[in-house]
Amino acid sequence: MIHPDKKRLRRSMMFLNCQKPGLIKDPYIYGADSIMLDLEDAVAENQKDAARYSLFHALREIDYRGVERVVRINGLDTPHWREDIRVCVAGGADTIRIAKTERAQDVRVVEEAVTAAEEEFGAPVGRTLLMAAIESTRGVLNALEICESSERLFGIALSGGDYTKDLQTVISGTGVELAGARQNMIIAARAAGVQCFDTVFTNLDDMEGFEREVRMIKMMGFDGKSLVNPRQIEIVHKIFTPTRKEIIFAEKVVREIDEKKAQGIGVFTVDGKMIDIAFYDGAMRTLRLAKASGVYEGDL
């Protein structure tokens, strides 16, 4: 069984430190589509057990009101990841984010451990979804095999800080150092039919720069963005939610294509734009995204 939420709306995915109970007790109030409960970089080495304890009780006792609960586990090169997985599954996390994924085998190793934990704790096998964080040049080059590695995997995400370190450069704010990784990852994700998420933007004093970056990654084809602060959520949702104008145009395209196809007409115009059957999937995606965002209640 694969979780029915594999294709759910995920425009925003906000990081929260599991080491700090105050941060994870009620983050649903901010309105992010997903929260990322972090057991990895945000947690000090001597606090891993305490963070897992906090995470388990939060997952079991807090009503997150429909917000997806993603847990970032420690890397496979650490002694922590197996116990991280057991706590995630026992607590009922929706998704496990695999840190530092470099090859398909990394995903399969985690999948085997997740399946074993589901059996151990009596959870339905297949309930726990996976996503892969790509943080290295090797991971970027292997993006397609990672995307196709498991039926549990709903998407991949770029981790820009570690990737640029591996690339032997730094985050510049221009995006030039991330352009190749972003393009390769979105192409791989679309080829495999999974989602793709951009890296965090850490300069909270530059909200204009953040908005420019979000508009750029949406144009590139990303599904959403990892976030570090609640202030960033509204901007992401505004940009990734179809406008009324886009919704009306998508409705027209779908209806016209359905009508013209029945008449044997292949090419026509909608609002002065040349349209053919190739526009159908894009228009339907706009309507599905609008419906999932809560701004469309039409019949398409």
Side-chain angles (χ1 to χ4, degrees):
M1 180 199 80
I2 294 298
H3 199 291
D5 281 348
K6 188 174 180 181
K7 296 291 186 180
R8 71 180 290 167
L9 178 72
R10 299 177 180 92
R11 301 161 296 182
S12 55
M13 194 171 290
M14 186 172 67
F15 276 98
L16 297 163
N17 184 352
C18 283
Q19 190 177 337
K20 300 180 179 179
L23 291 179
I24 64 175
K25 65 181 179 64
D26 58 359
Y28 51 81
I29 64 174
Y30 300 120
D33 294 325
S34 304
I35 53 172
M36 186 103 61
L37 303 162
D38 191 11
L39 291 173
E40 194 209 12
D41 289 348
V43 179
E45 186 67 21
N46 64 356
Q47 294 297 312
K48 298 293 187 182
D49 288 336
R52 277 192 289 265
Y53 181 85
S54 176
L55 170 69
F56 174 77
H57 287 281
L59 291 173
R60 292 295 295 267
E61 298 167 13
I62 297 173
D63 178 4
Y64 283 96
R65 305 185 186 186
V67 176
E68 182 182 39
R69 301 157 306 163
V70 181
V71 179
R72 179 167 74 165
I73 63 172
N74 288 279
L76 303 185
D77 58 344
T78 74
H80 306 296
W81 66 275
R82 288 187 183 276
E83 191 61 21
D84 290 347
I85 289 173
R86 293 183 69 249
V87 169
C88 288
V89 173
D94 300 307
T95 295
I96 289 172
R97 173 163 161 151
I98 308 166
K100 300 177 175 62
T101 313
E102 291 201 325
R103 53 185 64 83
Q105 183 60 22
D106 295 342
V107 179
R108 296 188 186 112
V109 166
V110 170
E111 181 176 36
E112 289 177 5
V114 170
T115 299
E118 288 171 340
E119 293 172 346
E120 177 184 358
F121 296 107
V125 173
R127 183 198 69 184
T128 313
L129 294 177
L130 302 176
M131 67 178 299
I134 293 182
E135 311 185 30
S136 67
T137 51
R138 184 176 296 278
V140 169
L141 290 174
N142 290 335
L144 181 58
E145 72 167 57
I146 291 169
C147 288
E148 295 178 334
S149 59
S150 168
E151 282 297 314
R152 291 182 188 257
L153 188 91
F154 75 73
I156 57 174
L158 175 63
S159 179
D162 286 306
Y163 170 72
T164 50
K165 188 188 306 178
D166 200 30
L167 202 62
Q168 299 181 15
T169 184
V170 295
I171 298 289
S172 68
T174 66
V176 64
E177 68 285 347
L178 298 176
R182 282 171 166 155
Q183 194 69 71
N184 193 69
M185 286 175 60
I186 193 64
I187 290 170
R190 291 296 171 260
V194 301
Q195 298 178 3
C196 193
F197 304 90
D198 192 44
T199 189
V200 297
F201 187 96
T202 58
N203 185 356
L204 299 180
D205 293 327
D206 185 13
M207 297 305 284
E208 290 184 3
F210 175 72
E211 182 163 347
R212 284 195 302 272
E213 183 165 282
V214 176
R215 291 190 183 280
M216 178 189 70
I217 60 114
K218 180 179 184 294
M219 183 61 66
M220 292 183 75
F222 281 82
D223 292 280
K225 191 167 179 65
S226 301
L227 309 177
V228 294
N229 190 279
R231 291 169 53 201
Q232 299 175 323
I233 296 171
E234 183 179 359
I235 292 173
V236 171
H237 287 190
K238 177 184 70 174
I239 292 170
F240 275 91
T241 300
T243 64
R244 185 64 189 154
K245 182 178 179 180
E246 290 169 336
I247 293 169
I248 291 171
F249 182 73
E251 278 189 315
K252 289 180 179 179
V253 168
V254 170
R255 296 189 193 282
E256 285 292 317
I257 289 177
D258 286 342
E259 180 182 330
K260 295 298 192 296
K261 184 168 59 175
Q263 298 173 4
I265 300 172
V267 180
F268 50 92
T269 60
V270 174
D271 293 347
K273 296 182 179 179
M274 193 72 73
I275 300 294
D276 60 24
I277 190 65
F279 286 81
Y280 193 87
D281 288 347
M284 286 301 298
R285 183 177 186 276
T286 295
L287 296 178
R288 285 194 298 269
L289 180 57
K291 189 169 290 187
S293 302
V295 296
Y296 176 66
E297 297 180 354
D299 58 352
L300 293 176

